[in-house]
Amino acid sequence: MAKKRPAAAPREGTSTPWVRSERTKHQVELHVAMLHTVDELRRQFNELFKVEDLSWPQYNVLRILRGVGPAGATCGEVGDRLIQHDPDVTRLTDRLEKRGLIARGRDTLDRRVVRTRITTAGLALLARLDPLVDEMHDRQLGHLSDAQIAALTNAMQRVRLGADPPPTDGH
């Protein structure tokens, strides 16, 4: 039997309880559904990567570095491309460098810049993971048609573009 929720508390300074519009209720429901879905998808990938002692953010860094090619990327460039924001990209890259999956070195044109590149070992690890990642995507999303995948992708892009961050300067 479902638990009954208590009645909404009155808003501060009033005796009237807070009432959401139907549209807002649907928006909250969608928001929670998206968070649950992302959490479940990521949990499954975390289990996959655990076999290689790799976290989701570390996998993401390796994927980014493979994508940028031999020129590599600066720490800031990697941070800008991360799927999930991580304020400590240096910590992520430190762990990968200790394992020999990436290498860092000074830029040949500007010695002040440190560039990070994926190593042969890092590429080999991604090559081992690629078919497993593809299988995971198929298990997670294979039941959707191409049209449904395109529609969901488009909808998620519209959500991201419309999600303006709240102002931080008090306005």
Side-chain angles (χ1 to χ4, degrees):
M1 182 172 184
K3 225 178 183 182
K4 199 170 188 179
R5 289 185 180 191
R11 291 183 290 172
E12 192 174 323
T14 73
S15 59
T16 309
W18 178 256
V19 178
R20 285 189 166 133
S21 70
E22 285 302 309
R23 179 170 172 77
T24 300
K25 288 177 186 177
H26 292 303
Q27 290 169 335
V28 170
E29 186 178 316
L30 173 60
H31 182 251
V32 170
M34 288 190 311
L35 292 175
H36 280 298
T37 302
V38 166
D39 187 57
E40 178 58 24
L41 297 176
R42 186 164 296 135
R43 186 193 63 72
Q44 292 174 19
F45 271 103
N46 284 337
E47 288 299 313
L48 173 69
F49 298 143
K50 193 184 292 185
V51 174
E52 295 288 351
D53 192 30
L54 202 64
S55 68
W56 166 255
Q58 290 171 333
Y59 170 76
N60 195 13
V61 169
L62 291 174
R63 185 190 60 78
I64 289 165
L65 292 174
R66 175 175 61 182
V68 298
T74 65
C75 199
E77 291 167 345
V78 170
D80 289 345
R81 293 176 182 221
L82 285 173
I83 293 171
Q84 180 181 353
H85 174 73
D86 190 318
D88 198 356
V89 177
T90 302
R91 176 185 51 81
L92 284 173
T93 55
D94 284 347
R95 290 179 183 165
L96 294 169
E97 186 175 37
K98 282 179 187 168
R99 291 182 59 190
L101 301 173
I102 64 167
R104 291 185 270 203
R106 296 283 173 191
D107 188 276
T108 55
L109 300 176
D110 186 345
R111 301 283 303 151
R112 297 170 296 178
V113 175
V114 175
R115 301 199 73 75
T116 304
R117 294 168 182 83
I118 191 165
T119 63
T120 304
L123 290 171
L125 174 59
L126 288 182
R128 284 194 310 274
L129 287 172
D130 283 341
L132 302 174
V133 168
D134 289 351
E135 287 172 16
M136 179 69 72
H137 284 303
D138 194 49
R139 278 197 306 278
Q140 292 175 335
L141 305 170
H143 62 286
L144 300 173
S145 70
D146 289 348
Q148 289 171 319
I149 291 171
L152 275 170
T153 301
N154 183 273
M156 292 296 102
Q157 289 170 344
R158 289 193 345 252
V159 167
R160 276 194 314 278
L161 291 173
D164 291 329
T168 56
D169 62 354
H171 291 99

